[in-house]
Amino acid sequence: MAPIPNGETAIHVVEPKTKGEKSKKQHSQVVIIGSGPAGHTAAIYLARANLEPVLYEGMLANGFAPGGQLTTTTEVENFPGFPDGVTGTEMMDKFRAQSERFGTKIITETIARVDLTQRPFKYWTEGEEEEADFMTADTLIIATGASAKRLFLPGEETYWQSGISACAVCDGAVPIFRNKPLAVIGGGDSAAEEATYLTKYGSHVYVLVRRDELRASKIMAKRLVSHPKVTVLWNTVATECKGDGDLLQSLAIKDTKTGEEKDLQVNGLFYAIGHEPATSLVKSQLETDVDGYIKTVPGTAQTSIKGVFAAGDVQDKKYRQAITSAGSGCMAALEAERLISEEEAEDDEIKTEDVHVPSEGYMGADKE
């Protein structure tokens, strides 16, 4: 298949061999790997379409409890439908309940191995990777997410989500940060953007840069250093997070050139040192970008292998929001449903009345 433009590079969509062996243990039309907003949104759409999706929510997969990274967020205030806010855990419990209501089969196990060389795709759960017995799926939706990189400083666990965050857009407006001095760690565009964003809420923003220059683009760097509410601390690293046991109150910082150490009084710390997409499961089989994110055909959830779709933060390095993850989960579900319908229509062994009719929502009829 011809390459399809995807930014500066191209993504080649490969059609795997078909007529592979179906599992006698468990075969599904759609299997979803991941239990965040993307995975559960896909499950809701597919279950309502009577495709009986199977969702593997994982057992501390990628270091998170079922529900993904949102389960570590105390208060979510920017997801529509919750005017009074909602905790991340409570929101994901509601997602899960809605998935189950429509018939999604949720399995609390981690998928440890997949074989995408032929369809149906084979997969194995953790602890059974080397066994001859496997399970199969006609289509797969990868919604394994991404996790923010952290430094795991002394005291960090104590004040995580109690003054320490990895998302300014998600948490910057929370009351504990309003009109308080804040700190951002990082020197790239993300750090510059987050620090600038936080000036709307904090009294002052300190940016800790371990070198004597920013990696951010010239325009972003200029905007940052010229902002009256921003101070860039060059050649500076944080060494400890301090507080009263409940909330962060200061950071111990060190000058990397002089070795001088002191405390910086801040009530918030935001990491902006990148994210790690959870793609180790498929990295050697699907096309990924230089940072490890799964590449998709622009405007779709289609990966480099036909029948495999990606949704949520595992393919989104730009927005990384719960609402955008949910939207891409919807896209993946509708595309998987459409593919299944088309292939059933072409299969002479399936009676016409048994061919799945795709949702009208795929064509936008739900907006009329």
Side-chain angles (χ1 to χ4, degrees):
M1 187 174 284
I4 300 172
N6 184 19
E8 296 180 358
T9 61
I11 175 172
H12 295 263
V13 180
V14 177
E15 190 157 347
K17 297 176 184 177
T18 56
K19 303 301 181 185
E21 180 185 358
K22 287 187 178 181
S23 170
K24 294 182 176 128
K25 183 178 179 182
Q26 177 175 289
H27 175 76
S28 311
Q29 287 185 296
V30 191
V31 164
I32 302 162
I33 306 176
S35 59
H40 277 298
T41 301
I44 291 164
Y45 271 76
L46 291 163
R48 291 185 73 248
N50 297 318
L51 287 175
E52 301 177 338
V54 176
L55 183 149
Y56 284 86
E57 61 182 2
M59 180 63 75
L60 290 179
N62 202 29
F64 297 112
Q69 191 164 216
L70 261 182
T71 59
T72 67
T73 302
T74 51
E75 200 74 21
V76 179
E77 297 182 321
N78 57 3
F79 198 94
F82 297 96
D84 299 319
V86 61
T87 67
T89 299
E90 183 184 358
M91 188 166 82
M92 291 320 303
D93 285 345
K94 290 180 181 293
F95 268 76
R96 193 181 195 277
Q98 192 169 352
S99 292
E100 284 189 309
R101 176 193 168 200
F102 291 112
T104 301
K105 182 179 181 181
I106 300 176
I107 301 175
T108 311
E109 290 187 56
T110 302
I111 301 298
R113 178 187 166 200
V114 295
D115 180 353
L116 307 180
T117 58
Q118 64 178 7
R119 294 179 67 197
F121 303 114
K122 298 177 183 178
Y123 67 93
W124 293 258
T125 55
E126 201 167 62
E128 300 180 346
E129 300 96 316
E130 305 305 321
E131 292 188 12
D133 209 5
F134 53 82
M135 291 167 283
T136 52
D138 293 327
T139 57
L140 283 176
I141 294 178
I142 311 298
T144 46
S147 55
K149 293 179 180 178
R150 294 165 55 179
L151 296 179
F152 296 99
L153 301 169
E156 183 174 320
E157 285 300 324
T158 302
Y159 300 109
W160 184 253
Q161 293 302 328
S162 295
I164 305 178
S165 170
C167 181
V169 174
C170 311
D171 301 326
V174 172
I176 62 171
F177 299 129
R178 287 183 177 271
N179 301 311
K180 301 289 178 62
L182 309 173
V184 173
I185 294 179
D189 278 346
S190 292
E193 288 175 3
E194 299 234 331
T196 303
Y197 178 83
L198 288 170
T199 59
K200 299 177 182 179
Y201 306 105
S203 60
H204 198 81
V205 179
Y206 298 92
V207 181
L208 279 58
V209 182
R210 65 181 302 118
R211 303 188 300 175
D212 57 4
E213 61 180 357
L214 291 165
R215 290 181 290 103
S217 60
K218 286 185 178 180
I219 189 168
M220 289 299 300
K222 182 179 179 181
R223 187 180 301 164
L224 181 71
V225 298
S226 62
H227 199 291
K229 291 178 68 175
V230 172
T231 297
V232 179
L233 302 177
W234 308 105
N235 305 304
T236 302
V237 294
T239 58
E240 186 180 355
C241 304
K242 300 179 179 181
D244 60 5
D246 293 320
L247 295 173
L248 181 75
Q249 293 182 331
S250 67
L251 289 178
I253 60 174
K254 180 179 180 180
D255 187 306
T256 58
K257 283 194 171 182
T258 66
E260 179 188 358
E261 297 184 37
K262 62 181 180 180
D263 282 353
L264 178 67
Q265 303 302 311
V266 292
N267 296 97
L269 167 63
F270 291 82
Y271 279 129
I273 53 177
H275 286 71
E276 192 74 38
T279 51
S280 58
L281 179 67
V282 295
K283 205 170 185 178
S284 62
Q285 300 182 70
L286 294 178
E287 280 193 44
T288 56
D289 68 11
V290 292
D291 296 313
Y293 288 84
I294 296 175
K295 292 169 69 174
T296 56
V297 175
T300 79
Q302 174 64 60
T303 69
S304 58
I305 293 181
K306 184 178 180 180
V308 181
F309 305 92
D313 290 4
V314 76
Q315 54 82 53
D316 173 20
K317 63 195 298 181
K318 183 175 182 180
Y319 299 106
R320 294 191 294 264
Q321 299 296 303
I323 192 69
T324 51
S325 290
S328 65
C330 169
M331 290 168 59
L334 293 174
E335 289 173 27
E337 184 190 359
R338 173 66 57 161
L339 177 62
I340 289 168
S341 176
E342 290 173 349
E343 292 182 338
E344 285 182 349
E346 295 170 0
D347 192 334
D348 295 333
E349 296 179 8
I350 299 178
K351 295 179 182 179
T352 303
E353 60 268 25
D354 293 331
V355 173
H356 179 76
V357 178
S359 303
E360 290 184 359
Y362 183 84
M363 305 306 293
D366 61 332
K367 297 179 184 177
E368 294 178 355

